[in-house]
Amino acid sequence: MNDLILFVTGPLPGAALPAKYDPGLVALSYVVASLAAYTAIDLAGRVSEFRAESRRAAAWLMGGAFAMGAGIWSMHFVAMLAYQLPIPVRYEPWTTLASMVAAILTSGFALYIVTHGVLSWRRLLIGGAVMGAGIGTMHYTGMAAMRLDALVMYYITPWLLSVVNAIVCSTIALWLVFRLGRSGILYQVLAALVMGVAIAGMHYTGMYAAVCVSTGQATAATGLDPAPLAAAIAVVTLLIMSVALTVSLQSQLMSRTLREQNERLSREVEQRRSAEAELQHHRDNLQVLVEKRTRELIEARDAAEAASHAKSDFVATMSHEIRTPMNGVLGMTELLLATTLDARQRRFAETAQRSGVALLSIINDILDFSKIEAGKIELRIRPFNLRELVEDVVNTLAEGARRKKVQFNCLIPATVPTRVHGDAGWLRQILVNLVGNAIKYTERGEVVVRVAAMEETEDAVLLRFEVRDTGIGVADDQLDRIFEAFMQAKGQSLRKYGGTGLGLSICKQLVEKMGGEIGVSSTPGTGSTFWFKLRLEIQPGASAAVAGPERQMLGLRALIVDDNATNREILGHHLAAAGMVWGEADSGARALEQLRATIAQGKPFDIVVTDDHMPEMDGIALARAIRSDPQLASMPLIMLSSLELDEGPVREAGIAYRLTRPVRQSDLYDCLMSAMPGKISAATVPQHAQRSAPKLRAHVLLVEDHPVNQEVALHMLELLGCRTAVANHGREAIDAWERAAFDLVLMDCEMPEMDGFEATAEIRRREAAQTNGRRIPIVALTAAAVAGDREKCLAAGMDDYVTKPFSYDQLERSLRRWLPAAGALGKTPSHIDLQVLERMRALGGNGGASLVTKLIGVYLSDAPGRLRSLQEAVTRGDTATMGATAHAFKSASANLGATALSELCRRMEGLGRASSTSGADGLLAEIEAEYARVAVELSTHAGTIPS
């Protein structure tokens, strides 16, 4: 072996010549190797394709062997050119040619292995060994062709590694060619790049084993110059590979064309034969064929109809199962949004909620349409509050309008009966579809929802619902088909809005199912008005305007300031329904003029309700102007806005109350009552004189130092049927308690001589010293029940809280809660509606009792955390968290029948929506006291529910 290849067995016989590589030529060698690999992969596919034709297969095999071998050989000499020595290098022609022959023979053998039969592991390993040995022979023969004034020697270990590397890489290359030879071009390119690395790796491993040792002679080397030789070899090889690939591509195209032509001819022949046979069959028995085809068509029609009904039945049946998890996702997202989140988390949660709402809308459209198509629609006629339903729909969809900065309002005049019978669920669906479309297709302007009574009898009312927008409108030629299924207006301006095209079709079918009619009027570019009419039954005993807390504002005067006429009209209806007298101004300047003029006339306004965004003078500027005028500085202000505002400038301008459009009527009334406590308390009294609730017949001690407060409380207590004694401070209260027997004490907290805390503590001390065990209920009257006052009241022994200014309802509710059973009062009312728990138990079947017990346990374990969150929100003045927490606590309490607690939470939620904390401390005290009583009753019922 040492005669052919000189191995290093001891010290080098001379100095080793330094060698280096040209990076550009190294890269070129890899490119050539990859091109050679791709050529081999492509030609392997041609050989396999013509394997049945021995001549063409042999021709492709020889061409492939020559192209691939020349490519590998070319890569070798380009890489040799990259190997730079400090002495001249030449190549002996015949030895060089011998190395090329070795490369071609090796490539031919490899192509034969991968294109004939299944490539077993045995064939793969033998082929890899032969090919690796051939490539090694080519490489070291090419090295032997070098002519230079130096000895080329090899380290034995790297040399053996190069041989092993050649065999391993060859085996991998054969496997890639076999697996990917017929794959798509992307896989072929990937395989070629891997094989290029393998081929180049074999060469450079061999070069790593070589060392050139100087002989010390200066004899000029003879043979071929390497640079022209390598360049010529590379050009010729690339030309050969290009020709081979071109011929291969042409062959593929020709083969594909021939195959397609053959297949087309075969199909045409087959079709002609079939047609001729069918024609002959028709001629032979035309009548039989006609009868058979008729039967087939009938059967196909029946099968199609059955399949359609089965599909509709299935989808309609699955409606509940699909909606339930989606509503669960949305419900949990809503609860998540009610918790404390940072800005990034809230953005993620809101995005998830909006995406869920969009997906649920599409699912609901499809499911509702399928249910209608399957005839599964059933009307559930039940009593409901029309105003609450419409306002719920409007508030649910309001966020979309706010994001687009579109004015969004709702108007239900006070003359419209709201306590009606009907299918609230499907009515809600109709409104959601119509209002959702109006917001979607409106980029600027306004969307207004109106409900009007067209005809009214004693027991029924014909209502017209109208959704008007200033959106893109609908073309005249599409109005007749707008309510058809899957019908959407056409045009580039509309395709961007998406949707299923089912919403309006669902609305039409539902309205007609409920005995109504639906229509639309529209002007392209101006807007649309979708309307529908329904006749609903009026609940027995209901009237158009039901007297309620809103009538407490009878005769009060309000000024509406807004540049939008629709906004002024809607707000005017709300105020008129509350019994208020209202004026209007379309700008801040005119509002100031009217305010000053009414003061001069002796008929001042009691409150100003202003819009936030107006030209020239906006709501904040108007508020600052009012606060800077001594005559107007004390005027209560409420600001309405369509967007969320920065609280800082609003509060700095002296605006304590703010509502976001669209405004619920109940939220507006709560806000008005909070903004005008003294005036509303005075107006409250006459309204309750007509109440039919049983008189209390109780003896009450009123401890209050302020004469006006004494008069208000005395009048309310008189209407409630109570006999009242008055004490002006704590000492008089103790003396009065000692002299007479009272059923309850109303105790003011801050008084001269002795305050309410000291007086209560003294009464409790004296009660403890008595032997009769009687304990009188003491209800605190506090103007600012902050956290410290609450703890102080409890420590002093007070039982409940009523926050001043208090309403008749608040006082009555507190008295009925604590007064002992006597006379017309009967037993103290329960704080839990037991019918709610009973219905829940019945719905649970055999496991109903355990279900109710479990729900009570969950509620009682969850409620303290919600109360702490509410306390912290009130302390921080965080109205958003305050409203969200109160909303969640309200729903949970109502679900278990704690209606009074739920109502208190609703009032707290209203304060949160109005971005106000006025009276929140006292209301929180009421919530805490009511929850304490609810918790006791629920704990009792949890242990006594019959199974």
Side-chain angles (χ1 to χ4, degrees):
M1 176 65 75
N2 215 43
D3 293 337
L4 297 175
I5 300 177
L6 294 177
F7 290 109
V8 177
T9 58
L12 295 175
L17 296 176
K20 62 181 181 178
Y21 286 94
D22 186 319
L25 293 176
V26 170
L28 178 61
S29 69
Y30 172 68
V31 172
V32 173
S34 298
L35 288 174
Y38 182 80
T39 304
I41 293 173
D42 187 76
L43 294 179
R46 305 288 74 72
V47 175
S48 298
E49 183 178 354
F50 296 104
R51 190 166 54 192
E53 304 176 34
S54 57
R55 288 187 178 181
R56 297 181 70 177
W60 280 111
L61 181 62
M62 288 188 291
F66 186 76
M68 180 179 177
I72 297 175
W73 183 64
S74 174
M75 172 268 159
H76 168 75
F77 276 95
V78 171
M80 289 301 298
L81 185 62
Y83 185 70
Q84 298 178 354
L85 293 169
I87 59 176
V89 178
R90 295 285 190 272
Y91 291 90
E92 196 278 319
W94 293 106
T95 309
T96 300
L97 182 61
S99 67
M100 180 178 181
V101 171
I104 293 174
L105 292 176
T106 299
S107 299
F109 177 78
L111 287 176
Y112 180 82
I113 287 292
V114 300
T115 57
H116 285 72
V118 179
L119 185 64
S120 64
W121 281 107
R122 183 169 176 271
R123 292 184 64 193
L124 177 63
L125 295 176
I126 294 174
V130 173
M131 183 177 177
I135 292 177
T137 301
M138 180 273 296
H139 175 76
Y140 287 109
T141 303
M143 293 287 291
M146 295 175 62
R147 295 293 181 266
L148 68 166
D149 293 334
L151 291 176
V152 179
M153 304 183 71
Y154 299 91
Y155 292 106
I156 185 66
T157 300
W159 181 83
L160 290 173
L161 178 62
S162 70
V163 174
V164 173
N165 187 30
I167 294 173
V168 172
C169 290
S170 297
T171 303
I172 295 174
L174 289 177
W175 185 84
L176 288 173
V177 170
F178 178 78
R179 291 294 181 190
L180 303 178
R182 300 179 185 178
S183 301
I185 188 171
L186 181 62
Y187 289 103
Q188 291 182 357
V189 170
L190 179 62
L193 294 175
V194 175
M195 287 180 64
V197 173
I199 294 170
M202 289 186 288
H203 171 83
Y204 288 108
T205 304
M207 293 303 297
Y208 175 71
V211 60
C212 296
V213 181
S214 174
T215 60
Q217 302 176 0
T219 306
T222 59
L224 300 175
D225 185 87
L229 175 63
I233 290 172
V235 171
V236 172
T237 301
L238 290 175
L239 180 62
I240 292 172
M241 287 189 291
S242 300
V243 171
L245 291 175
T246 301
V247 173
S248 174
L249 179 61
Q250 290 179 345
S251 175
Q252 292 181 60
L253 294 175
M254 289 178 62
S255 298
R256 184 180 303 167
T257 302
L258 289 174
R259 283 196 303 272
E260 291 176 352
Q261 290 177 350
N262 290 337
E263 291 174 357
R264 191 180 303 112
L265 287 173
S266 298
R267 286 195 301 270
E268 290 177 357
V269 170
E270 185 63 30
Q271 290 173 358
R272 177 163 295 187
R273 288 176 180 174
S274 176
E276 290 176 354
E278 187 176 356
L279 182 59
Q280 184 63 40
H281 181 69
H282 275 249
R283 290 170 181 168
D284 293 341
N285 200 355
L286 181 59
Q287 185 62 35
V288 174
L289 182 62
V290 169
E291 293 177 354
K292 180 181 178 182
R293 181 55 57 89
T294 302
R295 286 195 304 271
E296 290 175 351
L297 290 175
I298 293 173
E299 291 173 358
R301 181 201 63 192
D302 293 342
E305 290 179 352
S308 176
H309 284 298
K311 178 262 300 180
S312 298
D313 288 343
F314 171 77
V315 177
T317 302
M318 291 299 293
S319 172
H320 175 73
E321 282 71 16
I322 295 177
R323 278 193 177 98
T324 297
M326 277 304 304
N327 285 327
V329 171
L330 292 176
M332 294 307 294
T333 307
E334 183 180 359
L335 293 176
L336 176 62
L337 287 170
T339 63
T340 302
L341 303 174
D342 60 33
R344 184 165 178 262
Q345 292 169 334
R346 182 165 295 277
R347 186 172 67 254
F348 289 165
E350 289 174 348
T351 301
Q353 187 184 45
R354 285 196 296 270
S355 301
V357 169
L359 178 58
L360 184 61
S361 176
I362 295 174
I363 291 174
N364 284 342
D365 280 352
I366 296 173
L367 293 176
D368 288 343
F369 182 78
S370 298
K371 183 175 276 191
I372 293 171
E373 188 182 50
K376 295 291 187 180
I377 288 294
E378 296 180 0
L379 298 181
R380 297 182 178 180
I381 308 302
R382 296 176 179 175
F384 68 94
N385 187 299
L386 178 66
R387 183 181 299 279
E388 290 181 1
L389 184 146
V390 176
E391 289 183 344
D392 281 346
V393 170
V394 169
N395 278 274
T396 299
L397 301 176
E399 183 58 30
R402 293 191 192 105
R403 288 199 301 269
K404 301 176 78 172
K405 297 183 179 179
V406 171
Q407 291 278 348
F408 188 25
N409 284 298
C410 169
L411 174 58
I412 306 176
T415 55
V416 174
T418 56
R419 294 169 57 194
V420 295
H421 282 279
D423 193 316
W426 290 125
L427 177 56
R428 181 189 300 272
Q429 183 67 45
I430 296 168
L431 289 171
V432 166
N433 286 354
L434 294 181
V435 177
N437 278 350
I439 294 174
K440 179 167 69 172
Y441 292 113
T442 302
E443 298 299 332
R444 62 181 62 87
E446 65 180 8
V447 174
V448 180
V449 181
R450 293 176 182 265
V451 183
M454 302 183 65
E455 299 175 6
E456 184 177 351
T457 63
E458 184 177 348
D459 56 358
V461 60
L462 178 62
L463 298 174
R464 176 186 169 95
F465 298 81
E466 184 179 287
V467 180
R468 179 177 59 82
D469 65 66
T470 57
I472 57 179
V474 182
D476 293 339
D477 60 346
Q478 296 171 350
L479 287 176
D480 294 337
R481 299 182 295 117
I482 196 66
F483 292 104
E484 295 178 5
F486 303 106
M487 172 61 194
Q488 289 180 296
K490 302 296 188 293
Q492 185 65 30
S493 63
L494 295 176
R495 283 194 291 270
K496 68 177 182 177
Y497 295 103
T500 61
L502 293 175
L504 293 178
S505 174
I506 292 171
C507 289
K508 183 176 187 297
Q509 296 188 62
L510 289 176
V511 169
E512 292 176 350
K513 180 75 172 179
M514 299 166 73
E517 60 177 316
I518 189 170
V520 60
S521 61
S522 181
T523 302
T526 301
S528 305
T529 299
F530 284 85
W531 58 266
F532 64 95
K533 299 177 184 178
L534 288 178
R535 188 176 298 277
L536 300 176
E537 295 181 5
I538 299 176
Q539 296 179 29
S543 60
V546 180
E550 60 270 19
R551 304 302 296 177
Q552 300 170 7
M553 292 170 276
L554 183 65
L556 296 179
R557 294 167 52 82
L559 177 62
I560 303 171
V561 188
D562 198 317
D563 62 314
N564 186 291
T566 302
N567 291 346
R568 297 199 303 272
E569 177 191 1
I570 292 173
L571 192 55
H573 275 280
H574 287 327
L575 296 178
M580 298 183 71
V581 179
W582 59 279
E584 59 179 316
D586 60 3
S587 68
R590 290 189 179 90
L592 291 172
E593 293 175 1
Q594 290 193 41
L595 289 170
R596 290 163 181 155
T598 54
I599 290 177
Q601 296 167 4
K603 297 180 180 179
F605 286 105
D606 297 293
I607 193 168
V608 174
V609 184
T610 179
D611 185 33
D612 66 321
H613 186 70
M614 296 181 291
E616 298 181 8
M617 178 184 287
D618 61 16
I620 293 179
L622 173 61
R624 288 171 177 162
I626 290 174
R627 294 296 180 232
S628 63
D629 189 327
Q631 289 183 304
L632 306 174
S634 61
M635 178 70 66
L637 297 175
I638 297 177
M639 176 177 284
L640 304 183
S641 64
S642 298
L643 302 173
E644 295 296 333
L645 297 178
D646 185 0
E647 293 290 338
V650 174
R651 294 196 178 280
E652 289 174 4
I655 302 172
Y657 302 93
R658 183 174 64 82
L659 293 172
T660 303
R661 289 194 182 92
V663 179
R664 288 177 181 265
Q665 190 182 72
S666 59
D667 291 342
L668 176 63
Y669 291 162
D670 288 343
C671 194
L672 288 168
M673 294 175 72
S674 298
M676 301 183 294
K679 297 176 182 179
I680 289 178
S681 294
T684 297
V685 176
Q687 297 301 322
H688 294 283
Q690 307 300 324
R691 297 191 179 221
S692 58
K695 300 298 183 180
L696 294 177
R697 311 296 182 194
H699 193 192
V700 175
L701 173 61
L702 173 63
V703 188
E704 171 66 65
D705 66 315
H706 198 286
V708 175
N709 291 343
Q710 288 179 358
E711 287 299 321
V712 172
L714 283 170
H715 199 27
M716 289 184 182
L717 290 168
E718 180 182 352
L719 291 174
L720 286 169
C722 297
R723 293 182 296 112
T724 308
V726 178
N728 293 297
H729 51 74
R731 295 193 187 280
E732 289 186 6
I734 295 172
D735 293 341
W737 176 79
E738 288 281 8
R739 291 194 307 268
F742 294 98
D743 298 306
L744 182 141
V745 177
L746 290 175
M747 182 75 73
D748 186 25
C749 291
E750 300 295 333
M751 295 177 292
E753 295 194 30
M754 178 183 284
D755 62 26
F757 302 113
E758 294 176 301
T760 301
E762 180 60 23
I763 290 174
R764 295 302 184 214
R765 188 188 66 76
R766 296 187 183 189
E767 283 179 338
Q770 295 175 353
T771 58
N772 57 14
R774 185 175 180 272
R775 187 179 190 276
I776 189 170
I778 301 178
V779 177
L781 301 179
T782 173
V786 298
D789 288 336
R790 290 196 299 273
E791 295 171 359
K792 198 172 181 180
C793 287
L794 292 174
M798 294 180 181
D799 298 291
D800 204 350
Y801 312 83
V802 176
T803 305
K804 291 186 287 188
F806 50 82
S807 67
Y808 181 94
D809 286 335
Q810 289 173 309
L811 181 60
E812 180 183 22
R813 186 163 52 249
S814 182
L815 292 181
R816 292 191 181 279
R817 185 179 301 140
W818 292 104
L819 284 173
L825 188 61
K827 61 184 296 185
T828 302
S830 172
H831 300 279
I832 299 297
D833 185 349
L834 299 181
Q835 293 182 354
V836 174
L837 298 180
E838 178 59 26
R839 286 195 298 269
M840 192 182 302
R841 187 195 66 78
L843 288 174
N846 294 333
S850 60
L851 171 63
V852 174
T853 302
K854 180 179 179 181
L855 291 177
I856 290 175
V858 172
Y859 176 82
L860 293 178
S861 63
D862 176 71
R866 294 195 183 277
L867 284 175
R868 284 194 300 273
S869 177
L870 197 57
Q871 291 168 358
E872 293 170 358
V874 171
T875 301
R876 296 194 309 268
D878 184 354
T879 56
T881 302
M882 187 174 77
T885 305
H887 173 79
F889 199 25
K890 174 191 72 175
S891 301
S893 300
N895 288 338
L896 289 176
T899 53
L901 179 57
S902 178
E903 173 60 19
L904 291 172
C905 293
R906 186 195 67 78
R907 290 168 53 197
M908 181 69 80
E909 180 187 6
L911 287 179
R913 287 181 177 175
S915 300
S916 172
T917 58
S918 178
D921 292 309
L923 189 55
L924 177 60
E926 291 187 57
I927 290 174
E928 290 174 331
E930 180 63 14
Y931 169 72
R933 291 181 284 273
V934 166
V936 171
E937 289 196 26
L938 283 178
S939 299
T940 302
H941 288 301
T944 59
I945 295 174
S947 58

